[in-house]
């Protein structure tokens, strides 16, 4: 089989992320297929069809068409967390953020199985599904996202989350929270309680406060939003605060962790009250409690997590450092300086696809580059962003100095409006990159 030169592979990875390299890796495979011999590139199974898993499945198939790719996803449809805050603010409906797997299956020849992986046997390279069947693999990628630390806050469990929603996985929780906002009285109070680091989507709680404020300003203008933070600072803080002052003066109050009197550690769902470690109560009409998080449950079952509940990986390839032939991408992984975001998960999915394709083809995996951009909307025409480029340095993913950065402070209305438009463009292009 013709080998791809290291230099060419690096160039392709560098040009457009791992994506460009997929096409190049496909060339030797097409040549191989023409010989009529059996597929030499094995079976890859991916658990989790979100930002990391769906992207990885599609790009692996493009990179290496001869590989049999199976995607195991619990749900029939995927509801994105990105733009779910906009649904809460009334800017979009649930249909806008709901996607299906038809094209991955029909257009890209990915076998999509709607089932839940309940166990992984790394020695036998086999996965057990809730439906009873088993699926074998040569390489396994998991991108299960997050689960919540239900033991972290007394009284907060999946049942309590029906009345005090987290809405940190989009879907029915988003709808519950939206209905509560609609039902609250004008002059009422909404609490948002974000967790400490690390957690999914660092700017997410503050975009959520903005979207709540947008809805309340237009519908219940005497209402207040209180953010009870576990942290003393947060992502894009200066930009958010400047935007709040401009669009929603006096409506949003942020209380930093060190002024809170302990962390939120108890909930009384019936009384709609949350308490800090020092028993300080906070009651509100709507409480959005975002609990501390850990890697998705299957990562724990499979012995892929460290003591902090996240998955250590070789950050060049995303292969687990705890189990051979299993790769972990997305929120569940420890990915150096990259935040837990959909864009990061998608970028990692491409790098991981390239690493596996290179391994099957016997081509060296060069040091890749990774990207992330997170847009946040403060109002419908008021967008801000943070962007980063990352490279491997001494085995760790680190930010490239001087690349990326945040939107400028004090930008004019046209600039903010353009960023709001880019946010929509970003959403449309990344979801189409995942699913079509
Ligand atoms: P997910 O996308 O959560 O996918 C995991 C999938 O695995 C799920 O579909 C789940 O059903 C499936 N699954 C899990 N376990 C199993 C199992 N055992 N068997 C079968 N299937 C399983 N990121 C951005 O880049 N930009 C944004 O603007 C942005 N906004 C956000 C706003 C909010 C409110 C929130 C909460 C998050 C936001 N994010 C944003 C972050 C983004 O949603 C996550 O970082 C991203 O979804 C992570 O991708 P993932 O593949 O790791 O996990």
């Amino acid at each position: 089989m013709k080998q791809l030169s290291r230099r060419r592979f690096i160039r392709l990875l560098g040009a457009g992320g791992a994506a460009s390299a997929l096409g190049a890796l496909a060339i030797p495979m097409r040549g191989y297929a023409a010989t009529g011999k059996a597929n030499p590139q094995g079976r890859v199974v991916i658990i989790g069809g979100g930002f990391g898993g769906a992207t990885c499945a599609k790009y692996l198939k493009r990179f290496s068409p001869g590989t049999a790719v199976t995607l195991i996803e619990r749900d029939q449809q995927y509801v994105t967390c990105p733009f779910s805050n906009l649904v809460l603010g009334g800017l979009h409906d649930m249909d806008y953020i709901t996607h299906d797997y038809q094209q991955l299956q029909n257009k890209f020849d990915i076998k999509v199985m709607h089932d839940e992986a309940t166990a992984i046997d790394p020695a036998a390279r086999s996965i057990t599904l809730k439906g009873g069947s088993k699926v074998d693999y040569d390489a396994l990628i998991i991108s299960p996202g997050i689960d919540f630390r239900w033991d972290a806050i007394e009284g907060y469990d999946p049942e309590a989350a029906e009345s005090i929603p987290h809405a940190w996985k989009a879907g029915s929780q988003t709808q519950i929270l939206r209905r509560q906002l609609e039902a609250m009285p004008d002059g009422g109070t909404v609490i948002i309680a974000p967790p400490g680091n690390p957690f999914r989507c660092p700017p997410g709680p503050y975009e959520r406060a903005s979207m709540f404020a947008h809805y309340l300003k237009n519908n219940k203008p005497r209402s207040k939003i209180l953010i009870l933070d576990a942290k003393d600072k947060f992502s894009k803080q200066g930009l958010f605060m400047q935007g709040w002052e401009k669009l929603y003066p006096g409506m949003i109050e942020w209380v930093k962790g060190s002024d809170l009197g302990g962390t939120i550690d108890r909930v009384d769902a019936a009384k709609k009250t949350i308490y800090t470690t020092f028993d300080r109560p906070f009651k509100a009409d709507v409480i959005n409690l975002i609990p501390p998080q850990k890697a998705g449950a299957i990562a724990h079952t499979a012995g892929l997590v460290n003591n902090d509940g996240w998955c250590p990986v070789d950050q060049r390839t995303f292969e687990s450092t705890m189990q051979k032939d299993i790769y972990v991408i997305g929120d569940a992984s420890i990915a150096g300086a990259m935040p837990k975001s959909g864009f990061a998960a998608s970028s990692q999915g491409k790098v991981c696809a390239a690493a596996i394709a290179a391994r099957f083809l016997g081509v060296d995996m060069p040091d890749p580059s990774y990207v992330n951009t997170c847009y946040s909307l403060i109002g419908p025409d008021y967008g801000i962003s943070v962007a980063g480029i990352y490279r491997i340095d001494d085995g760790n993913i680190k930010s490239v100095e001087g690349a990326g950065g945040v939107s400028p402070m004090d930008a004019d209305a046209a600039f903010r409006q353009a960023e709001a438009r880019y946010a929509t463009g970003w959403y449309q292009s990344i979801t189409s990159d995942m699913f079509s």
Side-chain angles (χ1 to χ4, degrees):
M1 189 186 303
K2 191 177 167 229
Q3 299 266 308
L4 204 62
S5 81
R6 180 179 162 78
R7 188 196 285 168
R8 182 162 155 68
F9 191 37
I10 292 171
R11 212 173 56 228
L12 287 162
L13 280 172
S20 317
L22 299 179
L25 281 169
I27 294 165
M29 279 313 298
R30 275 192 224 109
Y32 196 93
T35 67
K37 290 183 187 162
N39 167 27
Q41 291 192 299
R43 301 151 302 172
V44 176
V45 178
I46 299 170
I47 299 175
F51 278 86
T55 310
C56 189
K58 177 176 146 181
Y59 276 84
L60 185 56
K61 203 65 199 175
R62 269 218 210 149
F63 235 149
S64 177
T67 297
V69 178
T70 302
L71 178 64
I72 299 171
E73 166 55 50
R74 182 195 284 142
D75 298 325
Q76 296 286 333
Q77 292 182 310
Y78 179 73
V79 185
T80 64
C81 287
F83 273 43
S84 65
N85 285 333
L86 280 60
V87 172
L88 292 169
L91 268 52
H92 289 293
D93 59 17
M94 290 297 287
D95 282 352
Y96 189 82
I97 58 168
T98 304
H99 305 266
D100 67 41
Y101 295 90
Q102 293 305 318
Q103 295 213 42
L104 281 188
Q105 191 148 268
N106 301 337
K107 198 163 141 192
F108 297 98
D109 190 26
I110 293 161
K111 181 175 177 188
V112 180
M113 297 176 76
H114 289 294
D115 206 331
E116 182 174 321
T118 52
I120 297 167
D121 180 343
R125 290 188 184 168
S126 175
I127 302 152
T128 305
L129 303 183
K130 198 174 181 180
S133 53
K134 283 190 187 286
V135 183
D136 295 336
Y137 63 84
D138 298 311
L140 168 63
I141 300 153
I142 72 160
S143 190
I146 51 147
D147 266 306
F148 301 110
R149 293 182 176 277
W150 293 114
D151 56 350
I153 298 174
E154 190 187 327
Y156 198 59
D157 56 20
E159 198 187 322
E162 296 290 306
S163 52
I164 297 187
H166 51 76
W168 221 239
K169 289 188 184 186
S172 59
Q173 278 276 307
T174 315
Q175 290 170 302
I176 294 172
L177 189 51
R178 170 72 192 172
R179 279 199 296 270
Q180 290 188 354
L181 269 191
E182 286 170 345
M184 74 175 254
D186 188 9
T189 303
V190 183
I191 286 177
I192 303 176
N197 294 319
F199 68 105
R200 159 176 283 185
C201 195
Y206 315 97
E207 181 189 60
R208 178 164 290 176
S210 312
M211 287 293 103
F212 282 177
H214 168 71
Y215 169 75
L216 294 173
K217 182 181 170 182
N218 290 308
N219 296 280
K220 301 163 192 204
R222 294 187 298 115
S223 307
K224 291 265 177 286
I225 299 165
L226 191 57
I227 306 174
L228 305 178
D229 217 322
K231 304 177 290 301
D232 278 356
K233 56 182 185 178
F234 62 87
S235 172
K236 296 184 265 190
Q237 183 166 345
L239 288 164
F240 271 113
M241 289 188 151
Q242 187 173 68
W244 293 342
E245 202 43 53
K246 207 172 177 61
L247 300 185
Y248 317 112
M251 189 177 250
I252 301 174
E253 185 187 348
W254 175 68
V255 183
K256 65 180 177 198
S258 54
D259 289 344
L260 200 57
T263 49
I264 303 295
D265 76 342
R266 188 160 65 88
V267 160
D268 187 331
K271 290 190 183 149
K272 278 255 160 112
T273 306
I274 57 179
Y275 301 84
T276 67
T277 340
F278 301 121
D279 255 355
R280 184 175 172 193
F282 290 92
K283 190 171 165 51
D285 301 282
V286 177
I287 301 179
N288 172 211
L289 176 58
I290 306 165
Q293 297 154 30
K294 59 184 182 181
I298 189 69
H300 294 257
T301 317
L304 297 164
V305 299
N306 67 10
N307 289 337
D308 295 328
W310 302 102
C311 303
V313 294
D314 171 342
Q315 295 180 14
R316 255 176 94 242
T317 62
F318 291 92
E319 184 168 9
S320 164
T321 55
M322 303 182 76
Q323 302 283 3
K324 206 174 141 24
D325 299 324
I326 302 183
Y327 297 71
V328 187
I329 54 174
D331 287 353
S333 67
I334 299 170
M338 294 186 90
K340 297 191 184 300
S341 81
F343 200 158
S346 151
S347 179
Q348 293 159 13
K350 291 173 186 177
V351 169
C352 183
I356 290 176
R359 171 183 142 182
F360 284 152
L361 285 166
V363 177
D364 276 353
M365 172 69 183
D367 289 345
S369 65
Y370 318 74
V371 286
N372 179 62
T373 305
C374 278
Y375 288 99
S376 303
L377 282 198
I378 297 181
D381 293 319
Y382 195 116
I384 58 172
S385 65
V386 56
I389 308 282
Y390 307 85
R391 282 197 189 284
I392 284 283
D393 181 2
D394 210 13
N396 288 307
I397 298 174
K398 295 195 180 148
S399 296
V400 175
E401 262 185 56
V406 293
S407 321
M409 290 288 284
D410 305 317
D412 63 17
F415 191 97
R416 300 291 187 228
Q417 200 171 25
E419 288 230 276
R421 271 203 320 277
Y422 302 153
T424 300
W426 170 83
Y427 182 81
Q428 288 168 350
S429 76
I430 198 164
T431 50
S432 111
D433 193 28
M434 288 162 76
F435 293 113
S436 58

